Amino acid sequence: MSNSNVKAKIYVFGAKPKQALLVPEIPIAVRNNCQSGQWVIGDTDYGSKISMTILKFSKFFGNLGQTINTLWGQIWFIAESGELPHGVLMVTYIKGRSLNDFNRLIASVQSQGVEPATGIFLPEFVKHSGQKPDENGVVKPINYYSLKWRWQERTDWSIIHQAAAVLSDENNLSRMIDLEGTRKMVCLDNLSAEETASLMVAHTNSDQNSSLLSVNVSDDKALPQGNESLAAALSS
């Protein structure tokens, strides 16, 4: 007869090792909701406060949700405080005011001779007021939020050691690809300023109902000659 007081062991999903970070096989997408000023996963709100360590940043251009033909910043991060899960790698996207302020902060920290990724990022939702036409074309006042970014030096370096271990593992790097979030985007990381501008013009002038990846890269009117890296990005 089995002893009911002895815990049985079962292995289905696995568990995060102690003193390590979890890199999910399917990326956990976190939305910074500009309407409510909350961090959201699916339909669940996770509050407005967070501090994070950033493991990867990339630039994209394209469509996400109802926003089309836009510059995006893709951030892979670990939440260190707040209501979002801790110790788990997640991904979020920023644009507009939030992206501009993020770029400002990065340049400011870099100018001090410091690698920004070694510190702690503290994004804060800031409320704005504006106007927007409704479905009947009547202009009405609206409120929305953007992220104001702050940065501070860290005193506990354990997360950085764990992050370095994640980034040194090819299996983890292969999981840091958000196929769903970027399916209508093109990565700009390896493109020159000229190539980036050409790509933006090509997509802005293209049929917005078609996929970004279906742009005809052989169209001489869309792309200047010699842009092999741009053509590769569009066709990837």
Side-chain angles (χ1 to χ4, degrees):
M1 181 179 295
S2 62
N3 187 344
S4 60
N5 293 325
V6 177
K7 289 184 178 180
K9 292 185 178 180
I10 182 172
Y11 298 95
V12 178
F13 302 104
K16 182 180 79 68
K18 293 182 178 179
Q19 304 302 317
L21 302 176
L22 177 64
V23 183
E25 290 188 17
I26 300 176
I28 297 178
V30 180
R31 185 161 55 98
N32 45 89
N33 192 324
C34 65
Q35 295 180 337
S36 64
Q38 301 278 319
W39 295 95
V40 180
I41 300 178
D43 295 325
T44 304
D45 290 341
Y46 285 86
S48 61
K49 304 296 184 181
I50 186 178
S51 64
M52 64 172 66
T53 294
I54 295 179
L55 276 68
K56 181 183 178 183
F57 175 78
S58 289
K59 301 182 297 293
F60 283 83
F61 181 80
N63 306 355
L64 182 61
Q66 297 180 347
T67 305
I68 64 172
N69 292 334
T70 298
L71 281 170
W72 297 90
Q74 182 195 63
I75 298 175
W76 293 86
F77 70 97
I78 300 291
E80 294 199 43
S81 68
E83 298 179 27
L84 284 169
H86 295 185
V88 180
L89 187 64
M90 296 173 283
V91 63
T92 193
Y93 295 86
I94 56 176
K95 62 179 175 64
R97 286 177 182 257
S98 300
L99 178 57
N100 290 338
D101 195 67
F102 181 82
N103 289 333
R104 171 203 60 80
L105 176 64
I106 294 298
S108 176
V109 176
Q110 288 176 321
S111 69
Q112 302 173 34
V114 177
E115 161 58 65
T118 60
I120 300 173
F121 290 84
L122 301 104
E124 177 185 358
F125 284 100
V126 177
K127 190 175 183 179
H128 306 279
S129 298
Q131 293 182 327
K132 185 178 181 180
D134 61 14
E135 61 275 8
N136 298 318
V138 179
V139 177
K140 294 184 177 181
I142 61 168
N143 294 320
Y144 64 97
Y145 294 83
S146 69
L147 291 174
K148 180 74 173 179
W149 292 85
R150 294 188 297 114
W151 183 92
Q152 68 181 32
E153 295 183 5
R154 66 175 63 246
T155 56
D156 182 358
W157 286 77
S158 59
I159 289 290
I160 294 297
H161 295 312
Q162 295 168 21
V166 166
L167 296 174
S168 65
D169 188 329
E170 290 294 333
N171 291 327
N172 288 329
L173 295 179
S174 67
R175 294 183 178 186
M176 296 172 67
I177 300 175
D178 182 16
L179 295 176
E180 177 63 25
T182 61
R183 62 190 176 90
K184 293 185 178 180
M185 297 186 191
V186 176
C187 185
L188 305 179
D189 287 351
N190 297 318
L191 301 182
S192 67
E194 179 184 3
E195 291 169 336
T196 298
S198 297
L199 180 148
M200 294 171 65
V201 170
H203 283 307
T204 300
N205 293 335
S206 67
D207 182 2
Q208 295 182 351
N209 293 323
S210 65
S211 168
L212 285 175
L213 301 184
S214 67
V215 173
N216 183 359
V217 299
S218 64
D219 185 355
D220 292 336
K221 295 181 180 179
L223 303 176
Q225 292 183 350
N227 280 15
E228 291 83 1
S229 58
L230 177 55
L234 286 168
S235 60
S236 61

